[in-house]
Amino acid sequence: MSSDDNVSEKAVDLTVLWVKAEPNLRAFVAATVWDVHHAEDVLQEIASVVSMNFASYDPARPFLPWSLGIARLKVLEYLRSCGRDRVVLSDATLLNLESAVQSLSEEDLANRRAALQGCVKRLAGRQRRVIELRYIKEKPLEEIARELATTRSTVAVTLHRARTALRECINRSLDVEGTAS
Amino acid sequence: MKSPEELFDRYLDNELTPGELVELEAWIDKDPRNAQQFVQWSATHLDTRTAMQGKALHDAVVQSVDAESSRYGPESAVELRHGYKILYQHLATAACVALVMSAGYFLIPSWWSEDSQPKLMPQISSLASDAKITQRIDCVLEQDRWNVQSSVYQSGQSIQLAKGVAVIEFSSGASVTLEAPAELEVLSGNSGFLHEGKLTAVVPESAVGFEILTPDSRVIDHGTEFAVRVSAGVSETHVFKGEVELLATRRNTGSDTPTKSTRLTATEAVRFDGDENSIGTPMKALPQRFIRMPPESGEVQSDLAIITPLPRQNDLVMWFEAGHGVQLDPRSRVVSWQNLASSNNEYPSAAWQVAASHRPLYEESHTASRPAIRFDGVEKHFLATTPIQTSNEMTVFIVCDFDGARKTDFGKLLMLTGRAKLSIQQEQGSIPVAQVFWWEKRKTHSTRAPSSITPEAPIVLACRYSLAENTLQLFANGELVAEDQANCPIATEASHLIGCNYHRTKSFFTGTIAEIAVYKEFLDRESFDQASSALVEKYSVRPRVEQP
């Protein structure tokens, strides 16, 4: 077998493992790095370190805990870089979240993600507008309030209701899917 | 009181008050199901933007599935039958990843990408370094054996130390002293995996959270100095200052999930011996088991030690005094001896012995009841300095004692190395000689100043060397006892040796040394006499008796 074949095989091994672990890793990063834009960056850094360290990964061991170890370090690096600009969960809580991430199945997370695709389409009116401004335009609450000619607290309430609506929609979708299957 | 869901949303918007943060953490920590709920909500939060933006790429990925799915074997087919629709989409992306990776890049699965274009990761070589070696103490790196020399390391690279000690600075500011034989894998700018060997870590405030992983444990710093040892299935964590958080990991707990963390504070240690059921044996921290860098190295500071009133101290390049800055191992052997003349250097200068079997013995009360370092020529004791610049005009003082029953015929007290080598040595067991030798025209040349004295103990030997004055002089207690010509430049920057020749394999000195002072100047007579008198007085040296 040529070295090109070996590289290619190794790459496929990594990508298959990564794809399976990615929903959990993504969930862990999401839980600890609330800023969406930064969370994507951290996730990309994790992927980079995972790929560079893949040669030292022992295939006899589960991939998720190994990659989650790297994820935790990258998240801690990010949190340190934030200084006091944001609230940071305690080490003990981070560990509990790490355990929770490992206990969730990637299927569940993937299904929730798929359900979300349908749920965002159902968002309408002011809730949709607030979600768009917050998540796509990445505007802070004050700016959203100015743009919508309302108060900051009203925006916060609307945003909370929109998020709750999405979460409830996902749960309903999964319940229906579970009943149907 | 706000509901957990409200608290969570306020967390997302960075709106939590400290009290609300405590409430939210208490809720997460109370029940693993709450932690799961928090993670699921978080994932939804992160995916919301994706879901709002990702329609176009999602459609493209679905269309590409048919074309790419044939690359995967039965496993992916089984998964598909089980309805892993999203995973299937990812596998399609993954196929692209594999192709791109073979060209040297890693593509993040990015079905959500805003512009429908894959994100490419930079190649390793373009990434910033996460750690670098800032000091090498008599060390050999495995990579040096193959002409691959680098002091800079990125995540995923390993530092394999075959011999000696290396100081590694992580980009976070954490400083690690690694002791051979050892392998430390750099995981990030603030973490590493110690596969084998010993290290000590000094962590400044900027690097709090610095982590060292071992096969058995994870050590998380909380602003401290600590040490870790991994050897033959055993790993230990010792805390010298501050506090660390310690977690037993998979090999010990039989689980992928870390156990509840343990806090270790100063003077505490925990040992894992590979027992699957063990959560670690508490023990007392043993700082002397580890090599530490000054000023954290806890050197001996003798109550009797006084700084000798030497003249022209700014002209000193070496100044070793046995009462100051001696780092000892558990057997009272000398690991390092601080160079008092190096206070202005970026990195501390010292004389080192990284190999335990070659370390000289520290004697707390020897010369005039003051500390001294005992070298056993038979046991091949010696020390090597960090690189020190010498000049062609030098003055050297050594307070020594040729005592002991186990005399060797020939031994070097101090050798200034370089192309030409200046040494003060003992011959025929006890005759002091100053010598310079060099290699030229296919043979060794030398100038020698052999004395004819048998020194009383202790003695202050001194040597003045001047290329300009063309003189090599040897003194005993301030008196000139031998002289020759200089003939050869000796200036160099090198590691110099105390107790053996430059090969480090022979001419081991037998006796004690209490103090060494080396000037980068040919001292004038007045300064020379002043220095001699200061040392003679300090060590209660008796006047030399003329031999018949």
Side-chain angles (χ1 to χ4, degrees):
Chain A
M1 185 180 285
S2 72
S3 61
D4 286 348
D5 290 339
N6 282 331
V7 169
S8 180
E9 266 196 15
K10 199 81 176 169
V12 171
D13 288 346
L14 168 58
T15 48
V16 170
L17 289 168
W18 173 263
V19 162
K20 291 195 77 165
E22 191 265 349
N24 299 70
L25 294 169
R26 186 172 169 78
F28 176 67
V29 172
T32 49
V33 181
W34 53 264
D35 182 281
V36 173
H37 180 69
H38 287 145
E40 300 286 13
D41 288 346
V42 171
L43 199 59
Q44 200 161 357
E45 281 180 34
I46 292 165
S48 170
V49 176
V50 164
S51 70
M52 284 189 285
N53 284 274
F54 191 62
S56 65
Y57 165 67
D58 177 2
R61 296 173 59 183
F63 181 75
L64 179 60
W66 180 77
S67 53
L68 204 49
I70 292 173
R72 185 171 189 275
L73 299 175
K74 280 291 165 193
V75 164
L76 286 173
E77 241 179 63
Y78 166 75
L79 294 179
R80 265 194 310 278
S81 72
C82 293
R84 297 184 178 185
D85 295 341
R86 60 152 296 161
V87 292
V88 175
L89 298 169
S90 70
D91 291 347
T93 302
L94 288 178
L95 286 171
N96 285 329
L97 292 176
E98 195 175 324
S99 298
V101 164
Q102 293 193 62
S103 66
L104 288 169
S105 74
E106 74 266 19
E107 182 183 10
D108 174 63
L109 291 166
N111 286 341
R112 292 183 70 83
R113 187 190 275 179
L116 177 64
Q117 294 270 336
C119 291
V120 293
K121 291 175 187 164
R122 293 180 204 166
L123 272 182
R126 205 168 184 82
Q127 285 187 1
R128 181 173 192 87
R129 184 73 183 130
V130 169
I131 287 283
E132 280 173 351
L133 290 170
R134 186 80 180 104
Y135 283 88
I136 298 178
K137 303 288 183 189
E138 296 180 32
K139 295 198 170 182
L141 300 188
E142 291 80 3
E143 276 190 41
I144 297 173
R146 268 200 301 276
E147 191 159 335
L148 299 181
T150 187
T151 62
R152 189 180 184 285
S153 59
T154 303
V155 170
V157 170
T158 308
L159 192 57
H160 172 59
R161 285 178 181 163
R163 285 166 171 159
T164 304
L166 286 175
R167 290 190 284 258
E168 287 175 351
C169 173
I170 291 169
N171 290 339
R172 278 198 306 275
S173 302
L174 295 179
D175 284 347
V176 169
E177 205 171 282
T179 309
S181 62
Chain B
M1 182 180 281
K2 292 184 171 62
S3 69
E5 212 166 351
E6 282 176 292
L7 292 173
F8 173 73
D9 281 357
R10 286 175 63 74
Y11 167 73
L12 297 183
D13 294 324
N14 201 25
E15 298 274 299
L16 280 183
T17 64
E20 289 172 341
L21 177 63
V22 171
E23 260 184 69
L24 182 62
E25 287 178 336
W27 177 74
I28 295 169
D29 297 341
K30 185 180 170 187
D31 189 332
R33 285 171 298 185
N34 293 348
Q36 286 182 338
Q37 180 84 84
F38 185 92
V39 170
Q40 286 172 335
W41 289 346
S42 302
T44 297
H45 164 66
L46 183 54
D47 289 337
T48 296
R49 183 175 77 153
T50 307
M52 301 283 286
Q53 294 175 326
K55 188 171 177 297
L57 181 59
H58 170 257
D59 292 345
V61 169
V62 170
Q63 285 163 15
S64 70
V65 165
D66 290 340
E68 298 292 344
S69 59
S70 61
R71 291 176 180 275
Y72 294 89
E75 189 186 342
S76 57
V78 169
E79 286 170 349
L80 279 171
R81 281 198 294 277
H82 282 79
Y84 286 47
K85 294 173 189 170
I86 297 298
L87 177 61
Y88 189 74
Q89 291 160 8
H90 277 212
L91 282 170
T93 309
C96 304
V97 173
L99 293 173
V100 177
M101 272 191 74
S102 62
Y105 287 88
F106 182 57
L107 166 66
I108 305 304
S110 53
W111 56 276
W112 54 84
S113 175
E114 194 168 350
D115 53 4
S116 302
Q117 294 298 313
K119 294 176 181 174
L120 296 178
M121 292 304 301
Q123 284 180 296
I124 293 173
S125 58
S126 65
L127 297 173
S129 69
D130 289 316
K132 63 180 177 184
I133 293 179
T134 55
Q135 272 196 86
R136 295 181 179 205
I137 311 288
D138 207 4
C139 93
V140 177
L141 291 163
E142 285 293 344
Q143 64 192 37
D144 292 350
R145 297 182 195 271
W146 299 97
N147 200 30
V148 181
Q149 296 193 358
S150 173
S151 294
V152 176
Y153 296 84
Q154 292 163 344
S155 301
Q157 291 184 297
S158 284
I159 302 166
Q160 291 176 289
L161 205 58
K163 176 179 177 288
V165 173
V167 180
I168 298 134
E169 195 170 305
F170 283 74
S171 58
S172 63
S175 178
V176 164
T177 302
L178 187 65
E179 192 177 337
E183 181 182 356
L184 176 67
E185 184 180 348
V186 176
L187 295 181
S188 73
N190 204 33
S191 60
F193 193 116
L194 183 65
H195 293 274
E196 186 194 10
K198 292 197 281 187
L199 65 77
T200 56
V202 178
V203 184
E205 199 173 329
S206 64
V208 168
F210 177 71
E211 287 198 359
I212 290 294
L213 286 79
T214 75
D216 296 299
S217 61
R218 184 151 84 197
V219 185
I220 307 165
D221 166 82
H222 290 284
T224 186
E225 187 199 358
F226 66 91
V228 180
R229 181 174 83 97
V230 176
S231 176
V234 172
S235 67
E236 295 173 2
T237 301
H238 300 244
V239 180
F240 306 141
K241 289 178 190 165
E243 185 178 275
V244 304
E245 185 180 351
L246 179 68
L247 298 99
T249 50
R250 188 166 176 273
R251 194 165 85 182
N252 285 84
T253 62
S255 159
D256 292 338
T257 307
T259 59
K260 190 179 175 189
S261 66
T262 305
R263 298 261 171 172
L264 290 184
T265 55
T267 74
E268 293 180 330
V270 165
R271 172 190 172 99
F272 294 106
D273 56 9
D275 178 352
E276 292 286 324
N277 299 314
S278 170
I279 56 166
T281 307
M283 55 190 284
K284 190 171 179 285
L286 300 168
Q288 288 188 329
R289 276 199 188 169
F290 299 89
I291 290 182
R292 302 157 76 192
M293 296 304 294
E296 282 81 14
S297 44
E299 300 95 338
V300 171
Q301 299 292 349
S302 167
D303 293 339
L304 288 170
I306 55 165
I307 297 292
T308 317
L310 293 176
R312 298 175 59 174
Q313 293 185 6
N314 288 338
D315 292 329
L316 286 163
V317 289
M318 282 190 227
W319 191 4
F320 298 104
E321 205 271 333
H324 288 88
V326 181
Q327 181 180 181
L328 301 177
D329 70 9
R331 301 179 305 138
S332 292
R333 302 285 173 173
V334 177
V335 177
S336 67
W337 192 3
Q338 187 185 348
N339 181 4
L340 302 175
S342 67
S343 57
N344 293 328
N345 290 0
E346 185 181 359
Y347 298 112
S349 171
W352 287 85
Q353 181 47 268
V354 294
S357 59
H358 293 300
R359 287 176 185 156
L361 178 68
Y362 176 78
E363 292 196 354
E364 191 173 354
S365 178
H366 184 271
T367 310
S369 301
R370 296 183 187 284
I373 311 292
R374 175 173 295 282
F375 294 79
D376 186 319
V378 176
E379 297 292 332
K380 301 180 179 179
H381 295 159
F382 71 97
L383 297 168
T385 72
T386 48
I388 293 170
Q389 178 72 53
T390 56
S391 73
N392 291 324
E393 314 292 311
M394 301 293 291
T395 306
V396 177
F397 294 91
I398 303 178
V399 181
C400 57
D401 193 340
F402 292 5
D403 67 347
R406 301 176 70 189
K407 287 177 182 172
T408 45
D409 283 344
F410 190 90
K412 306 271 187 187
L413 282 83
L414 176 68
M415 169 164 270
L416 304 182
T417 62
R419 195 174 76 80
K421 298 160 182 65
L422 168 65
S423 65
I424 296 177
Q425 57 206 39
Q426 61 179 168
E427 294 187 6
Q428 298 171 42
S430 58
I431 307 296
V433 175
Q435 174 176 289
V436 174
F437 68 95
W438 65 98
W439 182 260
E440 191 176 9
K441 294 180 180 173
R442 301 173 69 183
K443 64 179 184 179
T444 302
H445 301 260
S446 66
T447 61
R448 281 170 55 85
S451 71
S452 57
I453 62 168
T454 302
E456 300 294 322
I459 188 170
V460 178
L461 291 178
C463 169
R464 287 200 303 179
Y465 185 86
S466 171
L467 194 60
E469 303 281 338
N470 192 24
T471 185
L472 168 67
Q473 299 172 326
L474 179 67
F475 298 82
N477 300 340
E479 287 180 47
L480 182 66
V481 292
E483 197 168 10
D484 199 356
Q485 294 182 329
N487 289 341
C488 185
I490 61 170
T492 189
E493 183 178 15
S495 169
H496 308 289
L497 293 157
I498 303 169
C500 71
N501 81 336
Y502 68 100
H503 289 304
R504 306 181 179 200
T505 54
K506 57 184 180 180
S507 306
F508 292 98
F509 169 59
T510 294
T512 57
I513 296 177
E515 189 161 350
I516 298 173
V518 180
Y519 289 86
K520 61 181 179 184
E521 298 288 340
F522 184 82
L523 285 189
D524 58 76
R525 190 67 210 194
E526 184 184 350
S527 299
F528 181 87
D529 288 344
Q530 199 179 335
S532 292
S533 300
L535 292 167
V536 163
E537 190 177 331
K538 176 178 175 180
Y539 291 99
S540 307
V541 175
R542 286 169 292 179
R544 190 173 62 82
V545 178
E546 288 293 338
Q547 299 297 307

